[in-house]
């Protein structure tokens, strides 16, 4: 693939930081190397000596003085080598990407660590999206994506979707506005980027089937699109077998995947990772060099220790499944009887997307009336491309509240819906 054609002028202009490169050389060097190069502070002056973290299973993670000095020091922009090696092995094990053994120019699978998947997404968008570009996505979608994309001045084109995510026939229809023969012509307006959340979509809870992914991938080949697979709920899929990912189908090197440990390890530690063709991951790393420099070294040195032996904890999945079931049964009890709301049971993630039938726009219902009754939900409009369009949906998260609280919240919501009919 010709990756240069996907880059924005800003991204193409990024150059490696000589100082950052020296930091990486120094970190790979034997102790015999004398470096007068780095502008790194001397960690002997830092006030911390060592630290221990007690894990819930009783294990202790202890950083001695040497490890602590490392954890508190600058590190490579792509991520510390142990974490990267560990993540690459994980990614190959989970997805077996066809690109794993390609040459770099052909789009060999590469990875970098990011400060949550949000940083990865934001930098990927900045790398690929110019003002005026046509970008494809299935709205309603994650508001953080809209927040990152909309200021870039692109034209967001909605691809139809349902409870199984993006509809390939709908994508085909949208793409039929263009001729695949025009894709590589100068000043072509054919979209170059497609974004989707394949599992437990935020806010819809939708999960894509294998066949849909295959069909969307085929269309992406036809129109030479890059697909951004934003999959933070991958590890929160309730039923086996898990559908294969876009990354696992990527024979061309056209998938950029963002993963997150926010939902299974900690959202506050801020760890995510970008996986994709090396020429594009390199560009993301150049952006990291110039912005955050790297994700917290302290967080990174913790990560492989905390995630050993296996990341997708069955207990976490079971917790969310039970929560989902509790929310579904409260919804059945409180909202269904009214014949005013409908929803689909999500197969992954932490959200129930509820259509309030008698209400054209939920903004006032949620932001004024529900708040007065002390129940917080998100009005659906915030997930739409045009947030001021009327939207009859609300998003309810089943991640934090107890089944009793969920039940009470839906009782209050149902009373409000009845009042407004
Ligand atoms: C679809 C989606 N993508 C990305 C993110 C960002 O997650 P994080 O930056 O914590 O990895 C979220 C967070 O809720 C999300 O729902």
């Amino acid at each position: 693939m010709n990756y240069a054609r996907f880059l924005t002028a800003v991204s193409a202009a990024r150059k490696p930081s000589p100082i950052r490169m020296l930091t990486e050389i120094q970190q790979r060097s034997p102790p015999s190397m004398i470096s007068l190069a780095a502008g790194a502070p001397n960690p002997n002056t830092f006030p911390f000596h060592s630290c221990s973290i007690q894990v819930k299973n009783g294990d202790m993670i202890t950083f001695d003085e040497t490890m602590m000095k490392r954890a508190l020091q600058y590190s490579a922009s792509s991520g510390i080598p142990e974490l990267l090696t560990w993540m690459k092995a994980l990614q190959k094990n989970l997805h077996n990407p066809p690109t794993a053994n390609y040459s770099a120019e052909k789009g060999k699978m590469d990875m970098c660590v990011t400060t949550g998947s949000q940083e990865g997404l934001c930098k990927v968008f900045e790398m690929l999206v110019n003002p005026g570009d046509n970008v494809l996505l299935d709205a309603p979608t994650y508001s953080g994506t809209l927040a990152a994309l909309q200021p870039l001045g692109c034209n967001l084109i909605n691809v139809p979707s349902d409870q199984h995510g993006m509809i390939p026939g709908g994508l085909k229809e949208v793409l039929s506005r263009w001729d695949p023969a025009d894709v590589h012509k100068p000043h072509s307006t054919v979209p170059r980027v497609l974004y989707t959340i394949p599992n437990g979509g935020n806010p819809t809870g939708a999960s894509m089937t294998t066949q849909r992914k295959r069909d969307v991938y085929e269309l992406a080949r036809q129109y030479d699109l890059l697909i951004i697979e934003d999959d933070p709920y991958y590890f929160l899929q309730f039923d086996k077998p898990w559908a294969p990912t876009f990354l696992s189908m990527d024979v061309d090197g056209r998938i950029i995947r963002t993963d997150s440990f926010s939902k299974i390890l900690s959202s506050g530690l801020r760890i995510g990772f970008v996986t994709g063709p090396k020429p594009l991951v390199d560009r993301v790393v150049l952006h990291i060099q110039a912005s955050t420099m790297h994700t917290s070294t302290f967080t990174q040195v913790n990560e492989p220790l905390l995630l050993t032996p296996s990341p997708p904890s069955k207990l976490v999945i079971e917790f969310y499944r039970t929560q989902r079931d509790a929310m579904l049964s409260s919804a059945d009890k409180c909202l269904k009887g009214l014949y005013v709301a409908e929803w689909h049971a999500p197969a992954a993630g932490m959200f129930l997307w509820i259509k309030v039938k008698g209400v054209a726009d939920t903004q006032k219902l949620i932001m004024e009336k529900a708040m007065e009754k002390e129940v917080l939900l998100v009005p659906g409009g915030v997930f739409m491309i045009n947030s001021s369009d009327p939207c009859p949906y609300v998003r309810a998260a089943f991640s934090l509240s107890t089944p009793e609280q969920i039940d009470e919240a839906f009782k209050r919501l149902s009373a409000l819906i009845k009042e407004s009919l």
Side-chain angles (χ1 to χ4, degrees), residues 233-255:
Y233 304 101
Y234 175 77
F235 295 116
L236 294 189
Q237 295 182 71
F238 305 134
D239 303 307
K240 294 268 176 173
W242 291 357
T245 56
F246 279 111
L247 185 67
S248 71
M249 305 174 181
D250 190 19
V251 287
D252 297 334
R254 61 176 71 254
I255 302 299

Side-chain angles (χ1 to χ4, degrees), residues 116-118 121 142 195 197 202 230 232-233 260 262-263 270:
S117 59
Q118 182 72 25
L121 282 174
Y142 171 48
Y195 166 90
I197 306 165
N202 181 358
D230 176 17
Y233 304 101
S260 175
S262 288
K263 321 295 170 180
R270 307 304 296 133

Side-chain angles (χ1 to χ4, degrees), residues 96-338:
N96 190 21
T99 49
N101 298 317
Y102 286 15
S103 66
E105 316 76 65
K106 284 235 154 138
K108 182 183 174 59
M109 182 203 99
D110 202 3
M111 297 183 74
C112 68
V113 179
T114 53
T115 304
S117 59
Q118 182 72 25
E119 186 198 15
L121 282 174
C122 204
K123 289 189 159 59
V124 166
F125 295 143
E126 187 261 17
M127 168 175 70
L128 302 173
V129 179
N130 288 294
D133 278 0
N134 290 315
V135 174
L136 303 163
L137 49 73
D138 46 341
T141 194
Y142 171 48
S143 49
T145 290
L146 295 173
L149 270 174
Q150 280 172 326
L152 299 178
C154 55
N155 178 28
L156 295 179
I157 301 180
N158 188 17
V159 178
S161 58
D162 60 17
Q163 73 270 28
H164 304 297
M166 186 173 281
I167 301 170
L171 175 61
K172 195 172 180 186
E173 172 79 29
V174 170
L175 283 168
S176 69
R177 293 181 212 168
W178 294 277
D179 183 345
D182 293 340
V183 168
H184 296 112
K185 288 189 180 154
H187 312 298
S188 156
T189 61
V190 181
R192 289 174 296 127
V193 173
L194 179 147
Y195 166 90
T196 196
I197 306 165
N199 291 299
N202 181 358
T204 61
S207 294
M208 274 182 101
T209 60
T210 308
Q211 193 53 48
R212 282 201 181 182
K213 285 184 195 163
R214 290 209 175 106
D215 294 346
V216 166
Y217 191 84
E218 275 317 305
L219 286 162
R221 300 189 87 182
Q222 217 179 318
Y223 284 85
D224 198 15
L225 302 170
L226 292 177
I227 298 177
I228 301 170
E229 177 176 43
D230 176 17
D231 208 358
Y233 304 101
Y234 175 77
F235 295 116
L236 294 189
Q237 295 182 71
F238 305 134
D239 303 307
K240 294 268 176 173
W242 291 357
T245 56
F246 279 111
L247 185 67
S248 71
M249 305 174 181
D250 190 19
V251 287
D252 297 334
R254 61 176 71 254
I255 302 299
I256 305 171
R257 184 179 158 84
T258 51
D259 278 278
S260 175
F261 285 148
S262 288
K263 321 295 170 180
I264 53 163
L265 187 72
S266 154
S267 37
L269 282 174
R270 307 304 296 133
I271 280 273
F273 44 110
V274 171
T275 309
K278 182 166 170 42
L280 297 180
V281 173
D282 283 350
R283 292 279 127 193
V284 172
V285 174
L286 291 183
H287 193 171
I288 296 172
Q289 286 188 357
S291 56
T292 53
M293 294 216 262
H294 58 79
T295 294
S296 154
T297 319
F298 185 78
T299 296
Q300 290 191 61
V301 288
N302 270 300
E303 217 74 4
L305 300 170
L306 291 173
L307 282 160
T308 308
S310 71
S313 160
K314 283 200 180 102
L315 285 177
V316 180
I317 296 172
E318 279 320 308
F319 170 79
Y320 284 106
R321 187 209 304 283
T322 309
Q323 290 287 106
R324 176 207 53 186
D325 292 346
M327 182 168 273
L328 287 174
S329 86
S330 293
D332 273 346
K333 195 168 77 187
C334 305
L335 302 173
K336 204 175 190 177
L338 295 165

